[in-house]
Amino acid sequence: GVYIILIGSLIVMVVSFIGCGAAITENTTILLAYIGTQIATFVFGLIGSCVVLDFSTYDSSIQPLIKDIIMRLIHNPQHEGSKFILRMVQEGIGCCGADGPMDYINYNKPLPSECRDSVTGNAYFHGCIDEMTWYLEGKTGWLAGIVLASCMISVINAVMSLILIQA
């Protein structure tokens, strides 16, 4: 994830440098290429925002994937890595099972201590699917907003370059 952001940032820096050079020299060909990159940035940003928002909202297509992963982690208690991941998720988010504590009860497994509130001792009501989706929904709203603001800047850059070509 971090490498993708770094590579994307490097590409934006190079394109911006080329755009500045084209504006200073008023080279029409390079300005048209710069406009093309700004349009591509706008399209990819818009598509990326739509995909991120689609995969992070309640009742989205990511929920069955989360359920499958959590259920596989519950069914594989002998593997230390699975136990550790499930423990970290349930403790960190404050959830129990995929859909709730009934996931453990239906498979005749004891309810782990991570599924209980450390203060009251009661089992968490919500499953990890709902809790993860609610968590992602809040975070990705900001991400999509920042990307859409970047898309707006790309449109402004393209329009200003067109104005420079026509002048």
Side-chain angles (χ1 to χ4, degrees), residues 36-100:
T37 60
Q38 293 304 304
I39 291 171
T41 302
F42 171 77
V43 169
F44 287 133
L46 196 62
I47 291 170
S49 294
C50 292
V51 169
V52 163
L53 289 175
D54 180 47
F55 277 111
S56 66
T57 56
Y58 193 72
D59 285 334
S60 68
S61 53
I62 199 170
Q63 285 187 323
L65 298 173
I66 295 172
K67 181 175 184 163
D68 181 49
I69 291 169
I70 296 292
M71 293 308 284
R72 277 191 284 145
L73 290 173
I74 290 172
H75 286 300
N76 199 5
Q78 66 274 14
H79 188 259
E80 283 300 317
S82 297
K83 283 172 38 177
F84 177 74
I85 291 169
L86 190 60
R87 187 178 323 123
M88 292 298 293
V89 168
Q90 291 180 150
E91 273 182 325
I93 297 177
C95 60
C96 186
D99 292 317

Side-chain angles (χ1 to χ4, degrees), residues 121-137:
N122 296 332
Y124 291 119
F125 179 75
H126 296 290
C128 293
I129 296 172
D130 293 336
E131 292 290 340
M132 281 186 173
T133 305
W134 293 328
Y135 177 80
L136 289 173
E137 196 168 354

Side-chain angles (χ1 to χ4, degrees), residues 5-46:
I5 293 172
L6 288 174
I7 291 170
S9 299
L10 182 65
I11 291 170
V12 167
M13 287 173 39
V14 169
V15 167
S16 299
F17 181 74
I18 291 171
C20 288
I24 290 172
T25 61
E26 294 184 14
N27 188 331
T28 307
T29 307
I30 298 175
L31 277 172
L32 288 173
Y34 178 71
I35 291 169
T37 60
Q38 293 304 304
I39 291 171
T41 302
F42 171 77
V43 169
F44 287 133
L46 196 62

